[in-house]
């Protein structure tokens, strides 16, 4: 769990570094946000002795394991971050600075807060 939390914090440090208004690498910022969320989720799952081998398995596990399964906002936030990361990585979608700061950062922040509240 601790290693995942440290990796989530490391990814957040990367996300917080760029100046969004001038960055040419928003695709990597979006990807970093998704992987921050991944490590928050994996940190919680590690407490349950569950480890995901891929994104699809993680999503399925989230829908089965309480209290994650009882939090539709968490599942939706994670899903949007995954889709937006895939859009940036595979479909060359160009996110705008306002999309990153206004739409996506709040999602990863909610994932972080939600999981932090579940950790001992």
């Amino acid at each position: 769990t601790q290693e995942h939390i440290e990796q989530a914090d490391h990814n957040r440090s990367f996300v917080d570094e760029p100046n969004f208004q001038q960055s040419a690498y928003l695709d990597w910022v979006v990807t970093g946000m998704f992987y921050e969320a991944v490590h928050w989720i994996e940190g919680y799952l590690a407490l349950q002795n569950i480890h995901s081998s891929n994104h699809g398995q993680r999503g399925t596990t989230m829908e089965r394991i309480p209290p994650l399964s009882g939090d539709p906002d968490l599942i939706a936030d994670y899903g949007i971050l995954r889709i937006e990361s895939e859009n940036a990585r595979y479909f060359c979608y160009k996110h705008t600075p306002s999309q990153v700061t206004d739409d996506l950062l709040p999602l990863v922040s909610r994932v972080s807060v939600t999981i932090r509240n579940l950790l001992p």
Side-chain angles (χ1 to χ4, degrees):
T1 296
Q2 187 58 38
E3 289 174 338
H4 287 293
I5 293 168
E6 289 170 6
Q7 187 64 46
D9 288 339
H10 174 77
N11 291 352
R12 174 48 71 109
S13 294
F14 167 75
V15 167
D16 286 343
E17 248 179 42
N19 176 342
F20 294 124
Q21 301 305 320
Q22 299 173 359
S23 178
Y25 303 103
L26 289 179
D27 54 336
W28 287 107
V29 171
V30 171
T31 299
M33 288 190 298
F34 169 62
Y35 280 99
E36 178 186 349
V38 163
H39 284 286
W40 281 116
I41 300 297
E42 286 297 315
Y44 177 76
L45 293 176
L47 286 175
Q48 314 306 315
N49 202 30
I50 299 170
H51 305 281
S52 306
S53 60
N54 59 56
H55 302 313
Q57 183 184 47
R58 184 177 309 103
T60 300
T61 300
M62 289 174 67
E63 293 173 356
R64 286 190 355 248
I65 303 295
L68 305 183
S69 62
D71 191 336
D73 292 334
L74 175 68
I75 292 170
D77 291 348
Y78 172 82
I80 292 167
L81 289 165
R82 178 181 173 187
I83 289 167
E84 293 304 323
S85 174
E86 289 172 351
N87 285 342
R89 288 181 284 142
Y90 304 128
F91 304 110
C92 304
Y93 182 82
K94 304 294 184 216
H95 291 87
T96 66
S98 64
Q99 285 175 311
V100 172
T101 57
D102 298 343
D103 300 338
L104 301 179
L105 275 176
L107 301 180
V108 74
S109 294
R110 285 198 305 254
V111 169
S112 169
V113 167
T114 299
I115 298 300
R116 282 183 196 269
N117 287 336
L118 295 175
L119 298 175

